[in-house]
Amino acid sequence: APRGVLVASDAIGMGLNLNIRRIIFTSMHKFDGTCTRRLTAPEVRQIAGRAGRFRSAHPEGHVLCLHAADVPLLHDAMATHVPVMRVATLMPRPEDLASFALARPEMRYDDSLKRFARHAVVSEHYRLGDMDAMFQLATMLQNVAGWLTPEELYTFCSSPTDPTDPPCAAALIRFASAYAHDGDVPGELAVGRSPVLLPETESELKALEAAHRVCDL
């Protein structure tokens, strides 16, 4: 019978239930945006756990490494005791933020988010997630906030936009402005003028990377 091969990043470990019989690690290290580091035991277990899932076509899974030198690292990670999680992180529900904002029509949306975060109370088993990026995006969108509902503002403010990335930040403002006035975001507004397909200089490469980040929003 034909067998399929899925080539994936470590994102496959984020709760995907697929019919996978074998996981093969090409490396036991990853670049995390800052440096190249060894995969932690929880990361290894989460990725390895995609092989052999209950009620899948392969109830029994197998895990191995492409390079023999990585096998001891795999064994070590699988044998490492992972502490029980005592506290989980939660983000506010959109409807809760909307109700909070609607009850305070005189308050700016970014101030409403900050006030909600200051006064939010959760049980001992949870903590409120980091909302700093959402605060910054809400401040950036203040000029169009009056034409958007709290639910719509939440959608834009919870987008994967880095407030410190000028191309992405400017694109988000364009998207929100277009939606506020027309109720739609045209595809060409996201793509704009296509940069060169084969960059030859560092500046062209940066322009292409910025265009990709914008399209990824």
Side-chain angles (χ1 to χ4, degrees):
R3 301 188 181 278
V5 176
L6 173 66
V7 179
S9 70
D10 58 339
I12 195 175
M14 303 302 290
L16 296 177
N17 286 321
L18 303 174
N19 289 319
I20 297 177
R21 183 169 182 265
R22 179 179 288 108
I23 289 288
I24 302 176
F25 284 89
T26 58
S27 174
M28 293 298 289
H29 296 76
K30 67 172 286 186
F31 179 71
D32 62 6
T34 302
C35 63
T36 298
R37 61 168 177 79
R38 179 176 166 180
L39 293 172
T40 65
E43 289 171 338
V44 173
R45 286 168 171 249
Q46 190 71 13
I47 297 169
R50 299 308 100 195
R53 305 292 294 176
F54 179 64
R55 291 183 177 176
S56 74
H58 308 290
E60 182 176 304
H62 304 271
V63 184
L64 61 154
C65 296
L66 185 63
H67 304 289
D70 284 335
V71 173
L73 300 179
L74 174 62
H75 288 173
D76 180 60
M78 297 299 290
T80 298
H81 172 70
V82 178
V84 176
M85 182 181 294
R86 302 295 182 185
V87 179
T89 298
L90 293 177
M91 292 298 287
R93 298 184 305 173
E95 55 267 34
D96 293 334
L97 291 175
S99 297
F100 192 85
L102 289 171
R104 297 159 181 80
E106 77 289 347
M107 186 177 292
R108 288 171 36 139
Y109 186 70
D110 54 348
D111 291 334
S112 175
L113 291 179
K114 294 174 183 176
R115 185 170 180 179
F116 182 97
R118 285 197 305 269
H119 296 282
V121 177
V122 296
S123 77
E124 60 181 341
H125 302 296
Y126 300 95
R127 62 177 171 230
L128 193 66
D130 185 358
M131 297 176 61
D132 286 348
M134 186 177 287
F135 299 155
Q136 295 179 56
L137 296 180
T139 300
M140 286 169 34
L141 297 175
Q142 185 55 38
N143 288 338
V144 297
W147 287 273
L148 297 171
T149 67
E151 292 86 355
E152 291 167 343
L153 280 167
Y154 174 88
T155 297
F156 286 107
C157 293
S158 60
S159 68
T161 304
D162 181 355
T164 64
D165 185 344
C168 287
L172 183 70
I173 295 175
R174 292 198 305 272
F175 297 165
S177 298
Y179 187 86
H181 291 94
D182 302 320
D184 187 29
V185 180
E188 58 269 19
L189 187 64
V191 178
R193 185 175 64 85
S194 299
V196 293
L197 297 180
L198 294 175
E200 297 180 354
T201 66
E202 183 176 354
S203 61
E204 291 179 345
L205 177 61
K206 288 183 177 180
L208 193 61
E209 290 174 339
H212 180 272
R213 293 196 302 275
V214 169
C215 291
D216 202 37
L217 293 180

